[in-house]
Amino acid sequence: MPHDHPEQAMTFGELLEVIGEQQRRLTVLENAFSWLTFCLDDKANQLLIHSLRLEGQNQNRDEQLQKHFISFADDIEKRLGFSATPPDTHE
């Protein structure tokens, strides 16, 4: 943020409000995405979980983001009752 116009600077309280709002929006998106998995068949869900795990191994992403991908894959897997096996793509 430029310091040329201090009247446009955000206060710490305002910044916390923005961060809190973004966290709530991300929680809604994550929940919505998780519930959408119930609309997919087993094979599509397994492919989704596998893809999330691959993103969790993507070295172009920072370590924290990789952990979030893996955690999200784990959460979906638990919610659906799947085991941690990769999908069979030869069917």
Side-chain angles (χ1 to χ4, degrees):
M1 186 179 308
H3 297 288
D4 298 339
H5 304 286
E7 68 278 357
Q8 294 178 354
M10 187 179 288
T11 67
F12 186 69
E14 291 170 332
L15 178 60
L16 290 177
E17 285 179 36
V18 169
I19 291 169
E21 180 62 21
Q22 291 305 312
Q23 287 175 325
R24 287 186 288 279
R25 291 176 62 134
L26 287 173
T27 298
V28 168
L29 288 172
E30 187 174 285
N31 264 305
F33 190 78
S34 293
W35 283 107
L36 284 174
T37 59
F38 289 110
C39 300
L40 302 175
D41 62 23
D42 285 349
K43 186 173 182 176
N45 276 315
Q46 289 173 348
L47 286 170
L48 172 62
I49 292 166
H50 180 70
S51 296
L52 289 169
R53 290 192 187 288
L54 287 176
E55 287 298 326
Q57 297 170 3
N58 185 341
Q59 296 298 308
N60 292 325
R61 301 195 184 281
D62 66 64
E63 186 178 338
Q64 288 299 316
L65 190 53
Q66 289 175 335
K67 288 179 183 178
H68 285 293
F69 274 109
I70 297 296
S71 176
F72 195 41
D74 290 344
D75 289 345
I76 291 172
E77 199 169 59
K78 286 177 195 169
R79 185 175 279 200
L80 295 172
F82 286 160
S83 64
T85 55
D88 182 10
T89 56
H90 299 309
E91 288 181 19

